[in-house]
């Protein structure tokens, strides 16, 4: 039962991704061609409200539903891994038009070919883990 | 109301709702980030035998797998019960560019048949592109420590410089693919 809330959050996330067409290859392609405001509007408004929200949480010392303080883990400082990893991710994102959230949404809509992308993404993560020590971070 | 829901949702509805998703996870004591699930799946499939990176208690990540399960159901529900059409109303310029790249009826369906349809699945090139795309996503997101949700939404909301660098990377890669490689591939 404790997982019901996470299934519900995922359910809403799936609906939002599908209905806003952020899960469509076409919208991603259009975004990288700078031919529509749509995706920039989604990310920009989510982010603007997100920044305000995080500030409110920090200043009011808001608690989780379990009464614990909401904590934010700062990301480790580096440039190489974020720039290199980010660029590699961007290549795949623009090619498949799917990032790690929308993949599952598309699977739910019955787009079975996305399974090839999903399984390859798991393997890609495995390859990263395997060579992790040898990569510049 | 039902009519309105059945239409594609505008950005000013979707964006704030995404912030709400992030907020819901924060007050549940979790962080919004979808690509971590790929690592969890590696761990479940026995990846720990090959790398320390996959040797962790994946059961603590079950909550995120439940988000995944919800997203699958949400996609099914939205496509079957909340949508009058699955066409994507992209801009005329994008349509024209895709038409000249031999994409038939761009935007007529949710995904292009040239990449995801029978046409792609019955050609070596089509399958290879999906595999390579997936490998890049999985490798890149973990190398960068997050994807669109973890960096572009969660990280940037918390004004993290690493997330800004990662998002700049997402765009460098995305622009190289769309403007330099895509015209060669299609």
């Amino acid at each position: 039962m404790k997982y019901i809330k996470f299934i519900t959050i995922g359910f809403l996330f799936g609906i939002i991704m599908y209905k806003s067409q952020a899960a469509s290859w076409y919208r991603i392609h259009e975004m990288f061609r700078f031919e529509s405001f749509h995706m920039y509007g989604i990310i920009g408004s989510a982010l603007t409200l997100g920044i305000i929200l995080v500030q409110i949480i920090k200043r009011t010392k808001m608690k989780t539903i379990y009464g614990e303080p909401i904590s934010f883990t700062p990301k480790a400082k580096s440039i190489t891994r974020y720039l290199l990893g980010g660029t590699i991710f961007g290549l795949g994102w623009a090619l498949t038009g799917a990032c790690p959230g929308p993949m599952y949404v598309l699977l739910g809509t019955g787009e079975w070919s996305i399974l090839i992308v999903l399984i390859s993404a798991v393997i890609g993560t495995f390859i990263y883990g395997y060579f992790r020590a040898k990569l510049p971070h | 109301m039902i009519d309105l829901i059945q239409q594609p949702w505008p950005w000013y509805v979707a964006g704030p709702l995404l912030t709400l998703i992030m907020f819901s996870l924060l007050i549940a004591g979790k962080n919004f980030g979808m690509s971590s699930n790929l690592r969890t799946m590696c761990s479940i499939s026995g990846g720990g035998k090959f790398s320390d990176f996959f040797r962790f208690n994946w059961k603590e990540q079950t909550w995120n797998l439940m988000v995944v399960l919800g997203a699958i159901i949400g996609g099914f529900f939205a496509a079957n019960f909340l949508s009058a059409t699955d066409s994507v109303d992209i801009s005329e310029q994008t349509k024209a560019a895709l038409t000249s790249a031999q994409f038939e009826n761009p935007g007529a369906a949710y995904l292009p048949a040239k990449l995801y349809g029978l046409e792609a699945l019955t050609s070596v090139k089509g399958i290879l592109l999906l595999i390579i795309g997936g490998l890049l996503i999985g490798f890149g997101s973990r190398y960068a420590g997050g994807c669109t949700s973890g960096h572009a939404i969660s990280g940037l909301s918390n004004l993290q410089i690493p997330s800004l660098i990662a998002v700049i990377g997402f765009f460098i890669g995305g622009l190289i693919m769309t403007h330099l490689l895509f015209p060669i591939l299609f």
Side-chain angles (χ1 to χ4, degrees), chain B residues 22-86:
Chain B
M22 182 178 82
F23 179 65
S24 310
L25 286 171
L26 282 173
I27 58 165
K30 309 294 182 195
N31 282 304
F32 184 31
M34 294 301 285
S35 63
S36 323
N37 291 304
L38 298 170
R39 184 184 175 198
T40 308
M41 289 175 201
C42 283
S43 180
I44 294 174
S45 336
K49 283 191 281 247
F50 303 94
S51 165
D52 283 348
F53 189 61
F54 304 117
R55 232 167 281 153
F56 63 97
N57 185 9
W58 62 264
K59 291 204 170 86
E60 282 174 9
Q61 290 295 313
T62 309
W63 67 271
N64 215 349
L65 294 176
M66 293 299 128
V67 176
V68 165
L69 176 64
I72 296 173
I73 303 170
F76 172 81
F77 188 80
N80 290 288
F81 303 112
L82 295 181
S83 303
T85 165
D86 71 343

Side-chain angles (χ1 to χ4, degrees), chain B residues 92-124:
Chain B
E92 291 304 324
Q93 295 118 292
T94 312
K95 276 185 193 166
L98 285 171
T99 305
S100 66
Q102 310 297 318
F103 276 63
E104 277 172 40
N105 300 320
Y110 206 80
L111 294 181
K114 207 171 178 71
L115 280 161
Y116 286 99
L118 211 57
E119 185 186 341
L121 293 180
T122 48
S123 79
V124 177

Side-chain angles (χ1 to χ4, degrees), chain A residues 121-135 137, chain B residues 39 42-43 46-55 138-139 142-143:
Chain A
V122 176
I123 297 170
T125 301
F126 176 79
I127 296 173
Y128 166 76
Y130 193 78
F131 291 107
R132 190 164 176 257
K134 296 190 179 75
L135 295 167
H137 283 76
Chain B
R39 184 184 175 198
C42 283
S43 180
K49 283 191 281 247
F50 303 94
S51 165
D52 283 348
F53 189 61
F54 304 117
R55 232 167 281 153
F139 185 93
R142 207 69 270 126
Y143 195 2

Side-chain angles (χ1 to χ4, degrees), chain A residues 12-37:
Chain A
L12 293 175
F13 172 72
I15 293 175
I16 299 164
M17 284 289 117
Y18 184 84
K19 291 302 301 178
S20 69
Q21 303 176 333
S24 167
W25 180 91
Y26 288 113
R27 285 293 185 191
I28 307 302
H29 191 70
E30 181 189 51
M31 170 184 80
F32 283 124
R33 290 181 60 88
F34 301 106
E35 287 169 342
S36 168
F37 180 71

